[in-house]
Amino acid sequence: MNPVQPLPPLPFAGVEWSRFRLRHGVTEAQLMSAAQRVVDGLLRHQPGFQGHAVLRDSEGGYIDLLLADSEARAQALCGMWVSHPACADYLALLEPDSVQLGFHSSLCSASALPLRAELILGGAGEVLA
């Protein structure tokens, strides 16, 4: 009998999430294009950045998910969004009264698959590509 091997941990320890709705008339194509500009113009160049995803729920809401090497780094990265030019278009698409923001630290995690910055494993929402 083979002993059970533990799964490797996911390569992040901090998460920033924001739940939101889009402004009237904004398309998912616009959202995804703006999200890519955030990743390319800001996030991928920052130390501690581990991944980013936009998820859609079945009721027309969205979650923006940022993964970092610590909760403190996730908070710092999130704090850059307001003043960074690469984020302006993305933030302008969101319905301001709908935005909810939260930060979390990982207590435990496991992955059966290698995780890349472009891949977020399942959950309640659908990963937009």
Side-chain angles (χ1 to χ4, degrees):
M1 176 165 26
N2 292 336
V4 175
Q5 297 294 318
L7 294 172
L10 293 171
F12 66 91
V15 174
E16 174 273 328
W17 62 268
S18 57
R19 180 182 302 268
F20 61 91
R21 293 196 173 280
L22 296 175
R23 290 180 186 264
H24 181 72
V26 173
T27 67
E28 284 186 352
Q30 290 172 298
L31 178 64
M32 297 317 304
S33 178
Q36 190 62 53
R37 287 191 298 278
V38 170
V39 171
D40 292 341
L42 172 65
L43 295 176
R44 85 171 61 244
H45 308 290
Q46 299 303 315
F49 169 67
Q50 301 295 316
H52 178 258
V54 176
L55 299 97
R56 173 183 355 128
D57 68 26
S58 62
E59 298 173 8
Y62 297 86
I63 293 177
D64 184 282
L65 188 64
L66 185 144
L67 306 177
D69 60 3
S70 69
E71 182 180 347
R73 184 85 67 180
Q75 289 178 359
L77 290 170
C78 180
M80 294 178 184
W81 283 54
V82 175
S83 61
H84 198 282
C87 305
D89 291 343
Y90 186 95
L91 295 174
L93 302 176
L94 312 184
E95 182 60 52
D97 293 339
S98 73
V99 178
Q100 300 171 348
L101 185 64
F103 297 94
H104 301 276
S105 292
S106 175
L107 295 177
C108 64
S109 66
S111 174
L113 302 172
L115 190 71
R116 302 184 327 256
E118 299 82 18
L119 175 68
I120 301 298
L121 300 179
E126 175 183 346
V127 178
L128 300 177

